[in-house]
Amino acid sequence: MSSREEILQNVRRAIHVQYEMPDLTELESISQKFPDKVQKFCDVMKAAGGNTVILKEGEDVNEVIRRLYPDLKRVASNLKEITCATFNPDEVQTPAELDGTDLAIVKGVVGVAETAAVWLTQDMKERALYFISERLIILLDKEKLVDNMHDGYKHIDTGDYGFGLFMSGPSKTADIEQALVFGAHGPREVTVILY
Amino acid sequence: MSTKHSKNAARFLKDKEQVAWHDQTLWMVRAKRDRLGKEIPEWEKLRDAASAIKMYSNSHLDTLLTTFEKNAVANGAKVYWAKDADEYCKIIYGILQQHHVKHFVKSKSMLSEECELDPYLESKGIEVVETDLGERILQLMKIKPSHIVMPAIHIKREKVGKLFEKEMGTEPGNSDPTYLTHAARKNLRQRFIHADAAMTGANFAVAETGEVVVCTNEGNADMGTSQPKLQIAAFGMEKIVPDRRSLGVFTRLLARSGTGQPITTYTSHYRKPREGGELHIIIVDNGRSKILANEEHRKTLNCIRCGACMNTCPVYRRSGGYSYTYFIPGPIGINLGMLKAPLHYYDNVSACSLCYSCSNVCPAKVDLAEQIYLWRQDLNKLGVANPIKKLMSGGMEYLMNRPKLFNSTLKMAPLGMGILKSVGFQWGKGRDYPSFPKESFNELWKKGKVK
Ligand code: SF4
């Protein structure tokens, strides 16, 4: 008998009582809502060590990015509206070539107010860009903010590349004496620009 | 008749300053957990839901696992089944060998600790690099984790400074955590880039989509799996959840309970192999189906390995992870050890004051303390009950049933303690003797001094 069959047989033998899947509808409907989702998102993001910028009427996002980071050398983006990028990350041959990227600008799909987590569906050749860049800017439509993770999960998918993630703020660790340090492996700075 | 736990704890307790730091730091994490939990009015309902989803999932494991397999295969992944640690190690080695892997990066996986993967692979000549900072520190020190979420919680910064001086050429005497973390970042970045394969565990495996979900703060799982084309993910089969909708519940609980954050920095869903790459997924039993068959203890399979029960445990905080003989310490470790090999790990059962704090904080409502209590009842059956404790609790029962005798014995207590101490009675070792008040509560009550 294969291990697969053996495991499944042992599992079937072990199960005597089958429990029902709980109905999550009530929990989801009473779960936290925020009158001002933008404010909540910004507050939680700050606590997570990230930044938020709210784009004003008529403001050009490229201007804002240049103001935030006036002298970065390697800026990656494959977004059409981003003209301040210095290269298109989809043109690299290997993900290792993305090492040394000063800033990457990507697009978020949905943002969750309670956790300041933004869902990113891989929409570029190498997902490494999200993690290897020193800094990350995520563009997110304000209308795409939801209250809590239950709502967040209603709106996500992993796309053609079969990868996506919720990201909340910069990479961090507290593995040395519980002292919080940003930039363990991934971006040291993360800014979400809400438009 | 001290247990191994108490002997090991005595060693940890020698460094008073360190003990106080350990205790306070973990308590701080527990307090953060409380604060974050209280922000959510529906917190208790969330715990109920998490527990109910796990009860559903584990009692439908066969169908959920086969659904997962079907979907994962449709996504382009290759799925393996390992009945025990040995098979798990062999499968992984087989994959690595087939691809001529020399450099292998790994993100934290308690399953790999459980199955002792690293030593196995190293004996076969494969270099394994742990990439979680805490795990890397421990790997370079050649020691084991002392906590499941904060593996290096027992290591002081000066020791890390010394270690990195030797291993990464950091400046002598510098033990600033920021400096050291960034030195490791630089060092490990090269390891990621030159790795031939990357491996992760999984926090969740979603049957509906056939994807594995990994939660980290550092981003090491993602750095690893986004460089080499070969990716391996292995999980214990109780990690299965039916659908993404369930993750709405678990992601709200996991980090809040474990580290007191709203969510981990990265919650990554790996569904397909990278373009031109391979994704190998290993489903592991290694004793889990046996636990599933154990009615009294199957709820341990609800565990999502958040670490909250360790942070809250008064015994864990003051005795450290190494005082336990099973590789997972704290309340959940006591239980999992007993399920693995009771005659081997029964010492840990004494490392519990039955305060029930663990049961109260567990996001998946594992009845940790209740189960430890049950194990204690079983010690007799196992023939390993501590004879002195048995004598004492037998004596207590005798006294409790005889109020008069109880009261007069209480009067004699200070004297009794003195005698016990002077003859070096074992139970008092490593414990402070209580100082007895001149008048007992009973006497005060009778005299109307307490209201
Ligand atoms: S038993 Fe509960 S509290 Fe302990 S690690 Fe598992 S999920 Fe967390």
Side-chain angles (χ1 to χ4, degrees):
Chain A
M1 190 167 28
S2 71
S3 291
R4 179 184 187 277
E5 290 317 310
E6 197 179 325
I7 292 168
L8 286 170
Q9 193 185 69
N10 287 339
V11 165
R12 284 185 195 119
R13 277 199 196 127
I15 296 170
H16 295 298
V17 193
Q18 284 198 312
Y19 297 88
E20 293 283 309
M21 177 66 185
D23 182 3
L24 300 176
T25 324
E26 196 219 324
L27 170 68
E28 288 167 346
S29 70
I30 59 158
S31 283
Q32 271 186 314
K33 312 261 181 296
F34 305 97
D36 187 345
K37 288 198 265 285
V38 173
Q39 190 58 49
K40 178 70 185 180
F41 182 88
C42 295
D43 292 346
V44 179
M45 182 58 95
K46 197 170 162 202
N51 311 308
T52 43
V53 173
I54 300 169
L55 202 66
K56 294 192 197 76
E57 272 292 314
E59 219 175 2
D60 174 21
V61 71
N62 292 286
E63 291 276 312
V64 175
I65 295 171
R66 261 185 233 115
R67 225 181 304 135
L68 281 172
Y69 296 114
D71 32 45
L72 295 179
K73 297 215 166 47
R74 291 191 73 203
V75 180
S77 188
N78 68 358
L79 301 173
K80 272 191 216 76
E81 63 268 39
I82 297 302
T83 54
C84 61
T86 63
F87 75 102
N88 182 347
D90 288 342
E91 283 162 13
V92 296
Q93 297 304 311
T94 67
E97 284 170 46
L98 295 169
D99 191 24
T101 300
D102 294 312
L103 171 68
I105 302 152
V106 302
K107 207 162 206 163
V109 178
V110 59
V112 182
E114 72 157 334
T115 53
V118 180
W119 179 264
L120 304 164
T121 305
Q122 183 179 351
D123 55 2
M124 62 187 79
K125 203 171 121 199
E126 295 295 349
R127 60 177 80 147
L129 189 67
Y130 298 121
F131 313 106
I132 205 166
S133 178
E134 294 293 310
R135 299 161 196 82
L136 189 72
I137 285 182
I138 304 172
L139 309 180
L140 183 69
D141 181 352
K142 275 203 291 277
E143 299 299 314
K144 296 283 170 64
L145 284 178
V146 298
D147 290 299
N148 52 53
M149 293 305 293
H150 306 295
D151 291 342
Y153 268 106
K154 284 183 194 143
H155 294 97
I156 65 138
D157 194 22
T158 34
D160 291 342
Y161 287 105
F163 178 76
L165 79 158
F166 277 111
M167 187 191 292
S168 172
S171 152
K172 54 179 90 65
T173 185
D175 273 348
I176 303 176
E177 278 193 17
Q178 280 296 292
L180 181 63
V181 181
F182 294 112
H185 292 293
R188 303 163 195 255
E189 293 171 23
V190 171
T191 303
V192 176
I193 299 183
L194 293 160
Y195 62 89
Chain B
M1 274 300 289
S2 323
T3 61
K4 282 185 202 146
H5 177 272
S6 64
K7 280 185 196 143
N8 295 338
R11 222 168 301 139
F12 182 76
L13 285 163
K14 276 194 191 127
D15 187 346
K16 287 226 161 58
E17 223 175 280
Q18 162 80 353
V19 176
W21 182 88
H22 190 268
D23 178 22
Q24 282 158 14
T25 306
L26 289 164
W27 184 251
M28 200 179 69
V29 181
R30 153 76 208 263
K32 266 204 271 179
R33 171 247 172 230
D34 289 354
R35 213 178 325 118
L36 277 146
K38 287 208 181 84
E39 277 175 16
I40 299 183
E42 65 276 16
W43 182 255
E44 290 305 319
K45 290 216 164 71
L46 266 177
R47 290 179 67 219
D48 289 335
S51 172
I53 298 171
K54 282 289 179 184
M55 295 305 278
Y56 164 81
S57 305
N58 290 330
S59 65
H60 292 78
L61 253 189
D62 50 339
T63 47
L64 291 177
L65 285 171
T66 45
T67 308
F68 174 88
E69 180 188 41
K70 190 179 92 225
N71 290 325
V73 169
N75 294 336
K78 190 152 188 236
V79 178
Y80 308 75
W81 301 70
K83 58 179 183 302
D84 54 23
D86 188 51
E87 195 172 11
Y88 157 96
C89 287
K90 285 194 174 123
I91 292 170
I92 295 169
Y93 177 59
I95 300 167
L96 298 179
Q97 205 184 21
Q98 204 191 340
H99 291 80
H100 311 290
V101 171
K102 286 264 155 343
H103 305 290
F104 183 45
V105 289
K106 242 184 93 228
S107 90
K108 191 162 98 52
S109 155
M110 291 316 288
L111 179 64
S112 74
E113 291 284 342
E114 178 183 321
C115 300
E116 300 186 339
L117 177 68
D118 291 14
Y120 178 88
L121 291 179
E122 272 152 17
S123 76
K124 304 275 183 195
I126 292 172
E127 183 207 33
V128 183
V129 175
E130 291 289 347
T131 57
D132 170 85
L133 178 61
E135 289 281 338
R136 183 65 178 155
I137 291 169
L138 299 178
Q139 184 183 40
L140 292 171
M141 286 182 164
K142 299 187 173 58
I143 53 176
K144 297 266 166 222
S146 76
H147 187 289
I148 61 169
V149 175
M150 298 171 266
I153 186 76
H154 60 300
I155 307 285
K156 302 304 287 178
R157 64 178 72 188
E158 290 75 18
K159 287 227 171 102
V160 182
K162 278 250 147 51
L163 177 76
F164 282 14
E165 225 176 282
K166 192 170 99 221
E167 299 285 346
M168 300 178 191
T170 55
E171 48 188 66
N174 195 340
S175 53
D176 175 57
T178 304
Y179 171 74
L180 294 175
T181 300
H182 289 154
R185 170 191 175 92
K186 214 170 135 203
N187 184 285
L188 285 164
R189 181 66 63 100
Q190 292 313 309
R191 306 286 190 152
F192 285 124
I193 289 176
H194 295 115
D196 307 310
M199 177 173 159
T200 70
N203 292 86
F204 308 101
V206 187
E208 172 195 47
T209 53
E211 65 196 348
V212 292
V213 178
V214 179
C215 306
T216 77
N217 276 321
E218 297 186 2
N220 55 318
D222 295 299
M223 273 299 295
T225 53
S226 62
Q227 290 292 333
K229 295 255 168 169
L230 179 57
Q231 175 179 359
I232 301 172
F235 61 87
M237 57 193 190
E238 83 285 12
K239 293 281 184 267
I240 207 98
V241 295
D243 48 23
R244 283 182 178 164
R245 189 178 179 190
S246 304
L247 292 178
V249 174
F250 291 110
T251 52
R252 297 186 78 196
L253 285 165
L254 178 65
R256 282 188 174 103
S257 300
T259 51
Q261 300 166 259
I263 193 168
T264 49
T265 306
Y266 304 100
T267 305
S268 303
H269 292 230
Y270 300 101
R271 190 170 185 176
K272 291 184 190 170
R274 295 235 316 279
E275 256 187 346
E278 292 177 24
L279 172 59
H280 298 257
I281 301 175
I282 306 156
I283 300 170
V284 186
D285 183 338
N286 201 32
R288 285 157 178 81
S289 55
K290 218 177 82 201
I291 300 179
L292 193 63
N294 184 333
E295 210 180 313
E296 279 177 345
H297 296 285
R298 69 166 64 113
K299 247 186 155 179
T300 50
L301 294 173
N302 281 18
C303 174
I304 55 171
R305 302 287 192 272
C306 74
C309 57
M310 281 154 225
N311 304 342
T312 201
C313 177
V315 180
Y316 174 85
R317 277 187 280 116
R318 294 180 184 84
S319 62
Y322 287 171
S323 60
Y324 302 78
T325 55
Y326 192 55
F327 81 103
I328 296 180
I332 185 64
I334 296 175
N335 282 300
L336 291 174
M338 288 307 277
L339 287 162
K340 178 61 78 184
L343 284 171
H344 223 86
Y345 297 114
Y346 70 85
D347 283 275
N348 301 322
V349 169
S350 68
C352 170
S353 64
L354 288 179
C355 72
Y356 285 68
S357 178
C358 47
S359 299
N360 289 322
V361 300
C362 176
K365 293 200 137 178
V366 178
D367 49 348
L368 295 149
E370 288 84 345
Q371 295 200 27
I372 295 174
Y373 178 80
L374 288 177
W375 284 122
R376 285 198 181 167
Q377 308 311 302
D378 286 350
L379 286 185
N380 234 340
K381 264 188 266 163
L382 289 173
V384 294
N386 180 328
I388 294 175
K389 276 193 186 154
K390 230 163 81 181
L391 191 78
M392 284 188 39
S393 48
M396 278 312 276
E397 197 183 324
Y398 186 79
L399 279 179
M400 288 299 182
N401 290 331
R402 290 162 185 79
K404 266 211 181 115
L405 185 60
F406 177 78
N407 281 329
S408 59
T409 313
L410 204 60
K411 278 194 192 120
M412 302 292 285
L415 183 66
M417 271 296 171
I419 295 171
L420 289 176
K421 210 165 165 178
S422 65
V423 297
F425 189 56
Q426 289 282 354
W427 179 77
K429 275 201 178 146
R431 289 175 165 94
D432 280 336
Y433 294 93
S435 52
F436 284 85
K438 295 223 169 55
E439 287 182 294
S440 72
F441 178 82
N442 226 340
E443 286 163 340
L444 291 171
W445 176 265
K446 276 194 199 142
K447 289 178 192 162
K449 287 188 192 168
V450 267
K451 296 246 151 59

